[in-house]
Amino acid sequence: MKKLIANREIDVNEEGYLLDFKQWDREICECIAGECNVVMTEKHWEVIAYLQDKHHKEEPLSIRGIKRSGVINIKEFYNLFPGGPLKKSTLIAGIPKPKSCI
C-alpha cells in the first residue's frame, strides 16, 4: 500500500514499515519520527545508523543485541524511543520490523 510521507507516495506494509529502503532518506525519517512523537537528536541518528548497518549485514536485531552493541544502553534506548523502542526505531530507520518484535 501507499502512504503519503513528506509529500511523497511511499510503499509501506500494513504496519507502516517501508517496503523499499531506497525510498528512505532523512526527510522521510524525520516525518516518520514525528508521527511517533520522536524528535531526532544526534543520538537518535547514531542508533538509526547502527540499526541500518545491522540490517544491511543481515544480522538479526533484538533488545539484547542493542544492549551489547556499545552504541546505547537500554535505559537510554527506551527513553529515546518510548513505547516499544525496537519497533519504533526500526520503523523510523526504514527497515523491516525485527522478527523478535510482536
Side-chain angles (χ1 to χ4, degrees):
M1 62 193 246
K2 303 266 187 196
K3 180 176 180 180
L4 193 63
I5 305 173
N7 295 318
R8 289 184 270 167
E9 279 196 350
I10 304 297
D11 298 313
V12 298
N13 68 13
E14 62 281 347
E15 294 181 278
Y17 287 84
L18 270 64
L19 295 175
D20 181 1
F21 182 73
K22 293 176 191 153
Q23 294 181 307
W24 185 93
D25 62 24
R26 285 179 83 98
E27 184 180 17
I28 296 293
C29 179
E30 292 276 2
C31 289
I32 295 170
E35 291 174 3
C36 295
N37 298 315
V38 172
V39 177
M40 297 296 287
T41 65
E42 283 306 312
K43 193 63 176 176
H44 286 92
W45 289 114
E46 188 178 338
V47 173
I48 295 301
Y50 167 80
L51 295 173
Q52 290 175 341
D53 181 59
K54 287 295 210 184
H55 173 70
H56 292 306
K57 291 179 180 174
E58 297 183 8
E59 296 177 17
L61 292 168
S62 67
I63 293 289
R64 187 171 290 146
I66 300 291
K67 181 179 177 180
R68 286 188 248 135
S69 71
V71 173
I72 191 168
N73 68 51
I74 290 301
K75 187 174 181 177
E76 187 177 13
F77 188 48
Y78 276 85
N79 287 335
L80 288 177
F81 302 97
L86 195 54
K87 274 185 173 180
K88 278 192 181 177
S89 61
T90 54
L91 178 70
I92 293 167
I95 60 177
K97 180 174 79 172
K99 289 179 175 52
S100 63
C101 292
I102 298 171

